[in-house]
Amino acid sequence: MPDPSLSVLAGPPLPPIRLTGKGPFVFGRSSKCEVRLEDPAVSRRHAEIASSPDGWTIMDVGSRHGISLNGVPLEPQVPAVISSGDRILIGPWTLRFRLGDVEPSTLASINDTTKRGATRIPRDQLGALAQKRLTLLIESARSIHTAAEESAVAHAVVDALVAGAGFERAALIRPVAGFDSLDVLAMRTGPSKRPITPSRTLLEAASEGAIVKLEDDSAMRGAMSIISSGVTEAMCAPISVGDQIDAYAYLDSTNPSAPQPDAAAFAAAIADLCGLAFANLRRHALQVQQDRLMRDLNAARDVQGRLMPPKSGRVGPLQYTMHFQPGRVVAGDFFGLRQLSDTSAAMFIGDVAGKGLAASLLMATIQSHLDALLRTDQTLPQIVSELNRYISGRSASNEFASLWIGIVDAQKRTLHAVDAGHGYAILRRGSGPEMPSFEGGPPIGVEPSIEFGETVIEISSGDRVVLFSDGVPEQPNKNGQLFGVNRILEALTSSQFLDDDLPVLIDALAAHAPTDEFSDDVTIASLAID
């Protein structure tokens, strides 16, 4: 899949934004975002672009002012598929999304802005359409409304403009980078067969929201590039989707015949119909894409749920309770238990970098291979080292996972543990909760040659291990303050029994947020040792 890039179509200047890898790439004001956008209208975490099996997706991650895709506002926390050429509105910027080197068909505009001969035509002065023109307008509206895709709408629009406005040529165009280069959505060249070269004067004037025209007068004659092209009349009408100008209907003639007297009114009506048709098509396409994506995500969530153990139970010498709450439809967290003998069992927790389908696939791979390795006679450090080599050889540079894994032997009264970049495991003994430092290494999948270490701790009957993902300590409150490890230890201090650990911790987390819709995946497990 080619790497995407984004360029500014409107808004403050920015260098081209190139996204290398699969992401996710978070856009926002925060210094932790992969793409920083410094503007008060941009939230600290505003939007996220990530790869998926369907291509690339964009999602509003809970911004204050929202984002829109091709003029259609997106619902928060619901991903939408994006394609090359799509326009994304974030704060004051309209960004054009591009994949690889693919470029649509384009035109170059004439730089005739040194002397402007643009006449603005306010809508309230356009006048009513004559009765004899209504039939053509109704027929045009029917063709535009019944078009099943944007290209068909564009061709219906230029056909209507040529038939009804009296100009020789018409085109539907969209700026690529300012008005220097223009996407051609549809064009009718008339008997001359000469392609249109749009006037930048008209385009810049129409970008202010008015229908404008250039006439063959002294002001226009100052723009020698237009005169040399043989144009005698020209008109430009902006086409809006929502509050944003999405494209332009451009008309001109190279013969002396005059346009229809109501050409401006007719072009305004067709432009409005075009904008409505574009908006409807995009809303429908966005809904179809999101429905398909949500079906895939829900299917992945079902599989993920089946990989998790039941919410409570017993595995060998371990009695446990577990809470799993994905921050989005599909989580990157994983947790598991494996009985190794009558007196020993393994427990593990981890977090895959990223979210969505890609993270869930890597999570399933880690769990299945780890399950197979736990059935061998290898030591725990050997198991983690072998898992790391396996994942490193099958993942991209930005695909990795933290892991904490422990093996309890109730007969020998030992806990062997390896911490591969996870860091969140608490021991609850008679003296209260504590967070030991466990040996291990970096996250799984970062460096294949790593050999992991381990920590061995003596345990007693009734000791508990509390495992949790980073979504717990990193949950922010409304002021951006994180929940932190100290609050976790405080909450567990008041919990004396296994069944109390999760309720007191979840209640404390929700009171801090304050919400039960957490910003990231939340996985907590408490395990009591026989």
Side-chain angles (χ1 to χ4, degrees):
M1 184 185 299
D3 288 336
S5 62
L6 297 103
S7 56
V8 174
L9 292 180
L14 287 176
I17 300 168
R18 303 190 183 280
L19 307 179
T20 303
K22 295 183 178 180
F25 305 96
V26 178
F27 291 61
R29 292 201 330 270
S30 171
S31 59
K32 296 182 179 180
C33 292
E34 285 74 16
V35 180
R36 293 191 67 185
L37 298 175
E38 296 287 350
D39 190 273
V42 177
S43 299
R44 289 180 59 79
R45 286 173 53 86
H46 199 107
E48 177 185 284
I49 291 179
S51 64
S52 76
D54 290 319
W56 289 90
T57 63
I58 186 168
M59 181 168 62
D60 181 343
V61 292
S63 66
R64 177 172 297 182
H65 299 294
I67 63 176
S68 65
L69 177 62
N70 295 324
V72 180
L74 298 183
E75 294 183 28
Q77 305 296 342
V78 179
V81 176
I82 48 177
S83 304
S84 192
D86 283 353
R87 293 165 311 288
I88 302 164
L89 179 66
I90 300 177
W93 286 281
T94 300
L95 303 173
R96 182 173 184 268
F97 183 79
R98 178 182 170 188
L99 285 176
D101 298 323
V102 177
E103 281 285 4
S105 174
T106 61
L107 285 174
S109 62
I110 291 179
N111 185 4
D112 59 343
T113 57
T114 55
K115 293 187 178 182
R116 297 178 63 136
T119 304
R120 290 179 175 80
I121 307 172
R123 285 183 179 271
D124 58 4
Q125 298 179 17
L126 291 175
L129 290 171
Q131 182 64 40
K132 64 181 181 180
R133 315 277 286 140
L134 287 178
T135 300
L136 177 58
L137 182 62
I138 291 170
E139 290 175 353
S140 300
R142 185 182 298 113
S143 298
I144 294 169
H145 177 72
T146 57
E149 56 186 23
E150 191 169 291
S151 174
V153 170
H155 284 86
V157 166
V158 295
D159 287 344
L161 290 172
V162 169
F167 283 84
E168 179 186 4
R169 304 183 300 186
L172 206 63
I173 53 181
R174 180 178 289 141
V176 175
F179 292 115
D180 294 334
S181 184
L182 308 164
D183 285 353
V184 182
L185 306 182
M187 183 186 295
R188 293 289 179 267
T189 57
S192 69
K193 304 297 183 185
R194 293 169 55 191
I196 292 176
T197 306
S199 159
R200 206 172 301 169
T201 296
L202 246 67
L203 291 167
E204 290 182 351
S207 70
E208 299 175 8
I211 300 172
V212 294
K213 63 180 179 179
L214 280 177
E215 298 173 324
D216 189 13
D217 57 17
S218 58
M220 182 177 171
R221 290 184 184 279
M224 296 305 297
S225 54
I226 287 289
I227 296 302
S228 64
S229 69
V231 173
T232 58
E233 296 277 354
M235 180 180 291
C236 187
I239 295 170
S240 296
V241 175
D243 296 330
Q244 300 290 318
I245 295 178
D246 183 80
Y248 296 88
Y250 190 92
L251 306 91
D252 71 10
S253 292
T254 57
N255 59 55
S257 61
Q260 295 289 343
D262 60 357
F266 188 84
I270 295 298
D272 286 345
L273 290 171
C274 180
L276 290 171
F278 278 177
N280 289 335
L281 284 175
R282 289 171 193 170
R283 277 192 291 268
H284 176 71
L286 183 61
Q287 188 63 54
V288 169
Q289 290 174 345
Q290 288 181 328
D291 288 347
R292 182 177 67 249
L293 191 58
M294 292 304 292
R295 284 195 299 271
D296 292 343
L297 290 171
N298 285 326
R301 182 179 185 177
D302 290 342
V303 172
Q304 187 177 34
R306 291 195 292 272
L307 291 173
M308 288 283 191
K311 291 184 178 180
S312 62
R314 172 176 288 277
V315 176
L318 296 174
Q319 184 179 352
Y320 75 94
T321 62
M322 185 269 292
H323 175 84
F324 168 60
Q325 181 176 335
R328 301 177 192 165
V329 177
V330 179
D333 287 0
F334 58 92
F335 168 72
L337 295 157
R338 299 291 182 268
Q339 184 170 351
L340 305 179
S341 70
D342 291 340
T343 60
S344 65
M347 50 186 164
F348 58 85
I349 189 169
D351 186 4
V352 175
K355 299 292 181 285
L357 290 175
S360 71
L361 291 172
L362 183 57
M363 179 207 72
T365 302
I366 290 173
Q367 285 188 269
S368 61
H369 196 63
L370 182 57
D371 183 63
L373 290 171
L374 285 169
R375 300 175 190 275
T376 67
D377 294 330
Q378 298 181 82
T379 65
L380 187 56
Q382 289 172 337
I383 287 171
V384 177
S385 299
E386 175 59 31
L387 175 66
N388 176 59
R389 284 190 289 272
Y390 180 83
I391 297 300
S392 296
R394 291 162 175 79
S395 58
S397 59
N398 63 335
E399 294 177 336
F400 56 88
S402 68
L403 172 69
W404 186 97
I405 181 169
I407 293 180
V408 168
D409 190 319
Q411 187 175 29
K412 295 180 180 179
R413 292 298 169 191
T414 58
L415 167 64
H416 291 246
V418 173
D419 189 344
H422 189 75
Y424 298 125
I426 290 175
L427 283 182
R428 183 66 168 85
R429 305 177 189 243
S431 59
E434 57 181 293
M435 181 176 279
S437 177
F438 292 96
E439 294 294 323
I444 299 299
V446 172
E447 172 53 57
S449 62
I450 291 292
E451 295 296 329
F452 288 79
E454 72 171 343
T455 296
V456 182
I457 295 177
E458 292 185 2
I459 55 173
S460 301
S461 178
D463 287 351
R464 301 199 300 275
V465 178
V466 180
L467 305 174
F468 51 94
S469 63
D470 60 4
V472 181
E474 295 179 9
Q475 172 65 39
N477 63 11
K478 62 182 180 181
N479 298 320
Q481 185 180 25
L482 303 184
F483 188 59
V485 171
N486 287 337
R487 288 188 178 88
I488 296 173
L489 293 170
E490 264 180 44
L492 292 174
T493 299
S494 63
S495 173
Q496 299 301 314
F497 304 102
L498 173 70
D499 291 339
D500 296 334
D501 288 344
L502 267 59
V504 299
L505 192 49
I506 293 168
D507 288 347
L509 186 65
H512 173 79
T515 178
D516 57 1
E517 295 291 333
F518 301 127
S519 62
D520 198 0
D521 310 329
V522 169
T523 303
I524 309 170
S526 181
L527 307 101
I529 302 167
D530 286 348

